[in-house]
Amino acid sequence: MEFECSKNQLGRGAFGIVFKGSMGPNHIPVAVKRLQLVDIEVSEKEEEALRNLEHRNVVKLYNVKSDSDFRCS
Ligand SMILES: Nc1ncnc2c1ncn2[C@@H]1O[C@H](COP(=O)(O)OP(=O)(O)OP(=O)(O)O)[C@@H](O)[C@H]1O
């Protein structure tokens, strides 16, 4: 599902900045994390782990987009 993100910054982690965004036609609020790509293999492993993880204390991963020009506006 497509998502958008705003300039509204929610926080910052070791691998990137997290922005407030929305997803889909109903604009469901989501957090958008823009990763600074360090190691593609590590990123892919984290993505796979998050996709398979379901826990009430862990955010759900909905989408991953690979685009070096992607910016939150
Ligand atoms: N779903 C969310 N809702 C609100 N704020 C969030 C959300 N996800 C992340 N944040 C904010 O962004 C900050 C960084 O989140 P991030 O997931 O990058 O943390 P991290 O796991 O420590 O980072 P990293 O995986 O890069 O080491 C959080 O401390 C929080 O303030």
Side-chain angles (χ1 to χ4, degrees):
M1 202 179 282
E2 275 306 306
F3 60 88
E4 295 170 356
C5 74
S6 68
K7 273 190 175 151
N8 191 345
Q9 196 172 310
L10 294 173
R12 186 185 284 263
F15 294 104
I17 303 174
V18 180
F19 296 90
K20 190 173 183 180
S22 64
M23 185 178 73
N26 295 328
H27 304 285
I28 297 163
V30 292
V32 178
K33 184 170 179 176
R34 185 163 191 268
L35 285 173
Q36 281 157 6
L37 201 54
V38 181
D39 183 330
I40 189 84
E41 246 180 70
V42 173
S43 298
E44 284 172 355
K45 278 186 184 158
E46 184 169 346
E47 179 189 334
E48 194 187 333
L50 278 174
R51 275 195 197 283
N52 295 324
L53 196 66
E54 261 188 58
H55 190 278
R56 62 195 169 103
N57 292 338
V58 179
V59 291
K60 178 90 191 129
L61 177 68
Y62 288 106
N63 197 352
V64 174
K65 188 172 178 171
S66 179
D67 181 352
S68 57
D69 294 328
F70 180 75
R71 296 280 181 277
C72 292
S73 51

